């Protein structure tokens, strides 16, 4: 899902909406009093590790849907003529997800962790590319020209 969200415009355009609708539908349809079946895990969540000591929240502790949502959020695309509509659409999806996810899922925390990790990863890749480009340019500038 994440790779498709990065590269396919239509997938990115609808994927966050599908995740939001899934959260809303499962919250309303399933029930044990609070809208959730005891065996079902929320789609957007922090994955609790069963260890004795508490581990810090990292991107490894969030669900795949949460990571995909972070990709969609960071790479908002507009297939309409109004680019601001894509931001309001992603905002609506995030609001729906946090509203309909159970508190135990820590959906807001999971989204923030995944979003920060994705943006940080992309900035490091961009920084590495800039450094490599500068090194290439500087090596070409300092090389001796060939005499023909």
């Amino acid at each position: 899902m994440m790779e498709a969200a990065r590269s396919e415009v239509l997938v990115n355009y609808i994927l966050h909406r599908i995740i939001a609708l899934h959260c809303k539908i499962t919250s309303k349809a399933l029930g044990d009093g609070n809208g959730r079946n005891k065996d079902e895990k929320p789609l957007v969540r922090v994955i609790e590790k069963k260890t004795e000591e508490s581990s810090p929240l990292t991107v490894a502790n969030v669900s795949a849907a949460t990571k995909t949502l972070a990709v969609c959020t960071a790479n908002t695309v507009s297939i309409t003529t109004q680019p601001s509509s894509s931001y309001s659409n992603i905002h609506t999806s995030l609001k729906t997800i946090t509203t309909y996810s159970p508190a135990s899922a820590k959906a807001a925390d999971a989204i923030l962790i995944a979003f920060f990790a994705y943006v940080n990863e992309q900035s490091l890749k961009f920084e590495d590319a800039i450094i490599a480009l500068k090194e290439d340019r500087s090596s070409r500038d300092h090389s001796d020209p060939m005499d023909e």
Side-chain angles (χ1 to χ4, degrees):
M1 277 195 304
M2 287 177 47
E3 290 303 319
R6 285 184 185 133
S7 60
E8 297 291 329
V9 174
L10 288 177
V11 172
N12 187 319
Y13 185 75
I14 64 169
L15 196 55
H16 62 87
R17 290 172 172 86
I18 292 170
I19 293 170
L21 285 174
H22 181 273
C23 291
K24 185 175 183 178
I25 289 169
T26 55
S27 176
K28 288 186 172 189
L30 299 174
D32 65 338
N34 66 355
R36 185 148 310 273
N37 189 353
K38 291 187 188 296
D39 294 334
E40 184 182 351
K41 299 202 184 309
L43 195 59
V44 176
R45 69 185 184 279
V46 170
I47 299 170
E48 298 293 334
K49 305 283 185 186
K50 294 183 180 181
T51 59
E52 293 179 14
E53 58 185 63
S54 64
S55 61
L57 292 178
T58 64
V59 73
N61 296 30
V62 297
S63 65
T66 309
K67 294 174 188 175
T68 303
L69 190 61
V71 171
C72 290
T73 305
N75 299 320
T76 55
V77 292
S78 178
I79 59 174
T80 64
T81 57
Q82 298 174 324
S84 64
S85 69
S86 64
Y87 295 111
S88 63
N89 290 334
I90 194 74
H91 177 262
T92 302
S93 294
L94 292 172
K95 187 175 177 183
T96 301
I97 290 165
T98 55
T99 300
Y100 289 101
S101 294
S104 63
K106 300 178 185 174
D109 293 344
I111 292 167
L112 286 174
I113 291 164
F115 183 68
F116 176 79
Y118 178 74
V119 170
N120 189 42
E121 174 188 326
Q122 294 305 307
S123 68
L124 292 175
K125 285 181 183 176
F126 181 73
E127 184 178 314
D128 289 344
I130 293 294
I131 290 170
L133 182 64
K134 286 182 180 178
E135 287 174 354
D136 267 0
R137 190 174 292 153
S138 111
S139 68
R140 277 183 288 163
D141 291 344
H142 293 342
S143 65
D144 294 329
M146 291 181 66
D147 291 330
E148 292 185 18

